[in-house]
Amino acid sequence: MVFKTDSAKKYLKKHGIKPSTIRIKVLQYLNDNKCHPTVDEIYKELIEDIPTLSKTSIYNTLELFLEKNIVDLVSIDDKESRYDIDTSAHGHFKCDICNKIYDFNIDTSGLNEEDIKGFIINKRKIYYEGICKDCLNESNH
Amino acid sequence: MVFKTDSAKKYLKKHGIKPSTIRIKVLQYLNDNKCHPTVDEIYKELIEDIPTLSKTSIYNTLELFLEKNIVDLVSIDDKESRYDIDTSAHGHFKCDICNKIYDFNIDTSGLNEEDIKGFIINKRKIYYEGICKDCLNESNH
DNA sequence: CTAAATGCAAACGGTTTGCAATGCT
DNA sequence: AGCATTGCAAACCGTTTGCATTTAG
């Protein structure tokens, strides 16, 4: 699903973000690459289109997107931050072998949250680690 | 609950760790301060007892503890790593106001993990963010 | 014209690394 | 003596900062 420039502009405006060139490109990249990219991955891709691009701008843009709640920060990787355009409730699974990150649906509504009753919960981050199916099959060869 | 030096030694040996002075002290610190301390916090405390202590040794020790599975890494704080001597299944709540980290019991057995069926799950990390009761009360004054 | 957005280079800070010094058996 | 542990200093690297430059309405 490609995010046309016009739709991207509208989308940003709707969320109170002035649609600059970089912001539109980053939004489109996130939408086309839902693999929770890092700043570096986004930068390496967009520098092809925008030769004067700086990483600072990527950082600024993602910071703004986080504030406006159109992306989520994924901290499953201890080294660098990843960004997810899918802000709906779901979990992330990281394979210890291939390091791929999988999304998975998770219904947290049934969870017993007695211990933190009366707390305001703004975000639930569910990170699993283990070995994915592909890597398990690989090791059976 | 204080971890006597002898018990700490036994505990380390049982988990295949040679009990050096630093390892014993770090274990005792983690056991006495179950607030998921950072490397810096541990270092600042232990340097009082061991004037020649280096941060590298704290890093080494915690790395070893992680390998031997007697501590868990808590990555709820994006800036620095925290370490938890309680390796039983439980969630962590971080207050956005006071930054305190609360443990809470959570029963993940009821979660629907259909999407990652066939995966080996080694670790489930549950991080919540929001506002804790204390800070909510504070704002009512 | 003006304010916002972008770019650049340096700084920052938690963590890692290589190696020398020390400690333990 | 020999091997593991510890300490030191520098390197590393993702991220932040300050400020100059450019862009857009």
Side-chain angles (χ1 to χ4, degrees):
Chain A
M1 180 186 61
V2 177
F3 221 144
K4 294 249 178 63
T5 303
D6 278 355
S7 336
K9 262 188 205 176
K10 262 187 210 162
Y11 184 84
L12 290 174
K13 273 185 197 162
K14 195 177 68 178
H15 289 88
I17 299 169
K18 257 211 280 186
S20 70
T21 310
I22 291 178
R23 289 169 185 171
I24 292 166
K25 292 270 185 198
V26 171
L27 177 65
Q28 287 177 321
Y29 182 86
L30 288 171
N31 196 63
D32 295 347
N33 303 77
K34 304 201 173 173
C35 50
H36 330 92
T38 63
V39 165
D40 199 57
E41 285 165 357
I42 300 170
Y43 175 77
K44 285 213 170 77
E45 176 74 22
L46 297 196
I47 189 83
E48 306 284 334
D49 282 11
I50 314 165
T52 60
L53 184 66
S54 72
K55 268 193 193 176
T56 307
S57 298
I58 307 288
Y59 279 107
N60 288 340
T61 301
L62 291 168
E63 185 61 34
L64 181 64
F65 285 7
L66 281 174
E67 277 167 26
K68 300 296 185 180
N69 290 304
I70 68 167
V71 298
D72 268 343
L73 184 61
V74 179
S75 307
I76 200 171
D77 192 323
D78 287 326
K79 299 277 160 260
E80 43 194 344
S81 295
R82 297 179 168 276
Y83 298 85
D84 194 348
I85 194 147
D86 178 2
T87 56
S88 69
H90 65 283
H92 292 105
F93 177 97
K94 191 184 80 179
C95 177
D96 290 331
I97 310 284
C98 65
N99 284 314
K100 191 178 162 191
I101 295 174
Y102 295 80
D103 287 320
F104 63 94
N105 285 311
I106 194 136
D107 181 14
T108 54
S109 63
L111 284 178
N112 172 12
E113 293 164 353
E114 270 296 312
D115 288 354
I116 46 175
K117 197 148 88 175
F119 290 33
I120 291 178
I121 301 170
N122 288 331
K123 280 227 154 43
R124 291 178 175 80
K125 298 188 172 179
I126 316 276
Y127 300 141
Y128 283 17
E129 291 169 21
I131 306 177
C132 75
K133 221 168 187 172
D134 286 356
C135 287
L136 283 171
N137 289 336
E138 202 63 34
S139 64
N140 286 340
H141 288 176
Chain B
M1 182 187 59
V2 177
F3 222 144
K4 294 250 179 63
T5 304
D6 279 354
S7 336
K9 261 189 204 172
K10 262 188 209 160
Y11 185 84
L12 289 174
K13 274 186 197 160
K14 194 176 71 180
H15 288 89
I17 300 169
K18 257 211 279 186
S20 69
T21 308
I22 291 178
R23 288 167 188 172
I24 292 166
K25 292 270 186 199
V26 171
L27 177 64
Q28 287 177 322
Y29 182 85
L30 288 171
N31 196 65
D32 294 347
N33 303 77
K34 304 202 172 171
C35 50
H36 330 91
T38 64
V39 164
D40 200 56
E41 285 165 357
I42 301 170
Y43 174 76
K44 285 213 170 76
E45 176 73 22
L46 298 197
I47 189 81
E48 307 284 335
D49 282 9
I50 315 166
T52 60
L53 184 66
S54 72
K55 268 192 195 178
T56 308
S57 298
I58 308 288
Y59 278 108
N60 289 339
T61 301
L62 291 168
E63 184 62 33
L64 182 64
F65 285 7
L66 281 174
E67 277 167 25
K68 300 296 186 179
N69 289 304
I70 68 166
V71 297
D72 268 343
L73 184 62
V74 179
S75 308
I76 200 171
D77 192 322
D78 286 327
K79 298 277 159 260
E80 44 194 343
S81 295
R82 296 179 169 275
Y83 299 86
D84 193 347
I85 194 146
D86 178 2
T87 56
S88 70
H90 65 282
H92 293 105
F93 177 98
K94 190 184 82 179
C95 176
D96 290 331
I97 310 283
C98 66
N99 285 313
K100 191 178 161 191
I101 295 173
Y102 295 82
D103 288 319
F104 63 95
N105 285 312
I106 193 138
D107 180 14
T108 53
S109 63
L111 285 177
N112 171 14
E113 294 165 353
E114 269 297 312
D115 288 353
I116 47 175
K117 198 148 86 177
F119 290 34
I120 290 178
I121 301 170
N122 288 331
K123 279 226 156 43
R124 291 178 176 81
K125 298 188 173 179
I126 316 278
Y127 300 141
Y128 283 18
E129 292 169 21
I131 305 177
C132 74
K133 223 168 186 172
D134 285 356
C135 287
L136 283 171
N137 288 336
E138 202 63 33
S139 64
N140 286 340
H141 289 175

